Amino acid sequence: MSEAVESVSLARPLGSRGSRSEVVESGPGELTATATAVLTAIPAWWRAKASAAGLADQWLDIAYAIEARSPVDLPLDPPPLGDSWSSLSPEQVGATYVEALSPATRSRHGRHYTPPELASHLWELARKSLGMPPRKQVLPGVVRDPACGAGALLLPALREHLHASYGADPAETIAGLPDLVQGVDTDPAAVWVANVVLAAEMLPTVARIPDEQRKPLPALAHVGDGLISPEKAVRVVLMNPPYGRVRLSSVERNRYKHVLYGHANLYGLFMATAVESLDEYGVVAALVPTSFTSGRYFANLRAHLGQEAGMSAVTFVEDRSGVFTSVLQETCLAVFERRRRQKTRITSLGSAETTIASVKMQRTSEPWVLARRSDDAPIAAAASAMTATLASLGWRASTGPLVWNRRSKDLYPTWGPTRSHVIWAADIDGGILHRDPARDSMRYLALTADSDHRVMVLDEPAVLVQRTTAPEQYRRLIAAHLSQGALDDRHGRVTVENHVNVLRPVAADPVLTPEAMTRLLATKTLDRVIRSISGSVALSAYELESIPLPDRNVVRTWNELEGAALEAAVAAAYRPEGV
């Protein structure tokens, strides 16, 4: 067995940006040689597990023991396992299969495997919302994973049910599992792996059934589209759905129009479908990016979730690099309940789980303000009660229009009468507009297209805000004032690169002057507010416009303040009443 097959990876690639048909269509033709090698090694793993459970004869034959057919031809006489394979847990078997797929396949279809620690924690959050006591309990209803992959999320729930059912008739326990544990996925190979690892959990129970009463183990996972709602309502949906934008057919866009705003993201569709599949006491527990809590494209989804199943708990995953490699998005475990709750429990998960706050549940389409740290909880609570925003107080945000690699041939190191000075994100580091020498080879954009003067040129004062920041940077809000003098120094016009947001007053008498706006964005309190809106390294123009602010009369008094006086005034405004 190759090193690639023997290694167990917890990497989580992002999902497809193709069409929904491309995501749904799947088959063994996409299996790499390494993935096929993994599948053909699984029968020997099964034989070792069945033997260790005290079973023999036909129960050592995976083709007999499980009512699930492999998508590839399996060896009639499996070769002996190597030391690395014989010790693999069910979770590791699934992870090995996923790691063996090509990166292109994982990305296109959103195939992934959830780290066991997060799978267990997600089940604990779900059972807490269900009101299950600490001791092991039989499942209170159907537990479903609509994007089950190799079965990681279903394993903790199945284990608990089998443990709690020990005193019951083992044959009846096994026979009842298809009505309690259900997985769906588009990948036939992953579904087969899921059925194997789930069946491996049943082996100790099977061993207690008399020989003459034993039957092949039921398949708990099936090939299908997880976005097709189940025929019967379910009690729990556990999922780590595929991520990424997809193109929808006209029929699908009409089906999801109540939760769409512009682009469709796969995980948002899964969240909407999951909530709609619940019974009256149902719970959804999902491992998803936090972008649904603040992004513009999720505005209708937020409103829908708020009405149908409020978010009763959210756990922010602190160490993203240790969970999903190469993923800059902030990730969370989010729990939604049909039952009407008033509060949302906020925690963070690193080496241990830390309680942050319990806040009023947010149900609107506006960005949800959720503290990522306990010391930010009072600020976030005050901000979530505010109704004014930058937009309502007369400011509009947009993203810089220049995507440099699309116009690389039009970028020059020297000025000319038909060229415009380019402002890069590095030019506003430290909150001061300057000229970063590293960008001087692409300092000027040639205005060649008819629309360039209308689209690419900024010729009026504005506030510039970095759209992306490095994870290690101290601040998320980094702003600099583009004054009239700065424009004059740059021949009266500039072009802003798209890693910079542009804030401009649109009211005749904006509540804050550009100078005061720049100072406000530089305060510590506003930086903590934006971190409670978006934990990502990217700050969209929409999120910038949505920053909650106090009453306009309070904000207007900030025009005359700066330094420590402004810091104190802003901090006081974001202090909850009575604190």
Side-chain angles (χ1 to χ4, degrees), residues 117-130 132 136-141 143 153-161 236 238 285 333:
E117 298 80 5
L118 292 187
S120 296
H121 199 82
L122 198 65
W123 172 239
E124 284 300 319
L125 288 172
R127 66 189 314 283
K128 182 180 291 185
S129 289
L130 291 168
M132 296 172 67
K136 302 296 183 183
Q137 298 288 306
V138 296
L139 295 179
V143 176
L153 294 183
L154 295 173
L155 281 167
L158 175 62
R159 283 188 184 124
E160 175 164 353
H161 180 77
V236 182
L238 301 171
L333 309 175

Side-chain angles (χ1 to χ4, degrees), residues 346-406:
I346 306 176
T347 59
S348 64
L349 184 64
S351 57
E353 185 177 18
T354 302
T355 298
I356 295 175
S358 179
V359 301
K360 182 180 179 181
M361 188 176 290
Q362 297 175 56
R363 299 183 181 275
T364 70
S365 63
E366 298 301 316
W368 295 349
V369 186
L370 303 162
R372 270 63 168 178
R373 302 184 344 187
S374 57
D375 53 344
D376 289 339
I379 293 173
S384 64
M386 295 177 179
T387 57
T389 62
L390 287 184
S392 69
L393 296 187
W395 283 81
R396 179 173 62 87
S398 61
T399 301
L402 176 62
V403 181
W404 74 267
N405 55 356
R406 297 179 186 173

Side-chain angles (χ1 to χ4, degrees), residues 89-99 113 150 193 197:
S89 68
E91 286 88 351
Q92 289 171 325
V93 170
T96 301
Y97 163 71
V98 175
E99 173 62 13
Y113 202 78
V193 175
V197 300

Side-chain angles (χ1 to χ4, degrees), residues 250-509:
S250 58
V251 172
E252 288 176 318
R253 183 160 284 278
N254 184 63
R255 174 190 170 191
Y256 289 108
K257 64 183 180 181
H258 61 298
V259 296
L260 291 179
Y261 183 106
H263 299 302
N265 192 301
L266 266 177
Y267 88 86
L269 304 184
F270 271 90
M271 291 176 74
T273 304
V275 165
E276 292 163 3
S277 71
L278 297 177
D279 65 23
E280 60 180 328
Y281 301 108
V283 171
V284 173
L287 173 55
V288 287
T290 61
S291 49
F292 80 90
T293 67
S294 61
R296 181 189 294 272
Y297 296 125
F298 298 95
N300 290 340
L301 176 64
R302 282 193 295 276
H304 179 69
L305 293 173
Q307 292 301 313
E308 296 296 322
M311 188 170 70
S312 60
V314 60
T315 299
F316 296 107
V317 180
E318 286 184 0
D319 186 11
R320 298 195 296 278
S321 63
V323 177
F324 302 138
T325 59
S326 302
V327 178
L328 294 180
Q329 296 189 79
E330 184 186 37
T331 308
C332 71
L333 309 175
V335 180
F336 300 88
E337 297 185 39
R338 279 286 197 199
R339 289 184 292 183
R340 304 297 288 185
R341 303 285 192 184
Q342 301 300 318
K343 296 285 187 177
T344 300
R345 301 188 316 274
I346 306 176
T347 59
S348 64
L349 184 64
S351 57
E353 185 177 18
T354 302
T355 298
I356 295 175
S358 179
V359 301
K360 182 180 179 181
M361 188 176 290
Q362 297 175 56
R363 299 183 181 275
T364 70
S365 63
E366 298 301 316
W368 295 349
V369 186
L370 303 162
R372 270 63 168 178
R373 302 184 344 187
S374 57
D375 53 344
D376 289 339
I379 293 173
S384 64
M386 295 177 179
T387 57
T389 62
L390 287 184
S392 69
L393 296 187
W395 283 81
R396 179 173 62 87
S398 61
T399 301
L402 176 62
V403 181
W404 74 267
N405 55 356
R406 297 179 186 173
R407 298 289 299 267
S408 58
K409 294 181 179 179
D410 295 329
L411 292 169
Y412 294 89
T414 57
W415 181 80
T418 61
R419 298 175 185 173
S420 175
H421 183 110
V422 177
I423 292 182
W424 301 84
D427 295 335
I428 59 177
D429 280 345
I432 299 174
L433 186 61
H434 60 284
R435 181 168 170 158
D436 184 66
R439 292 297 189 178
D440 279 349
S441 63
M442 298 184 290
R443 181 52 63 185
Y444 297 95
L445 174 71
L447 305 174
T448 58
D450 292 340
S451 60
D452 277 353
H453 284 276
R454 183 179 72 257
V455 175
M456 290 290 175
V457 169
L458 174 63
D459 57 5
E460 59 185 7
V463 177
L464 307 178
V465 184
Q466 282 190 359
R467 188 169 70 86
T468 57
T469 51
E472 65 273 10
Q473 280 185 251
Y474 174 69
R475 292 186 58 83
R476 285 289 173 267
L477 272 177
I478 299 175
H481 182 211
L482 176 67
S483 64
Q484 186 61 53
L487 278 170
D488 295 341
D489 291 342
R490 293 161 176 79
H491 307 280
R493 66 187 179 203
V494 298
T495 296
V496 179
E497 192 257 340
N498 81 326
H499 287 92
V500 177
N501 287 318
V502 181
L503 267 175
R504 282 173 278 195
V506 292
D509 180 27

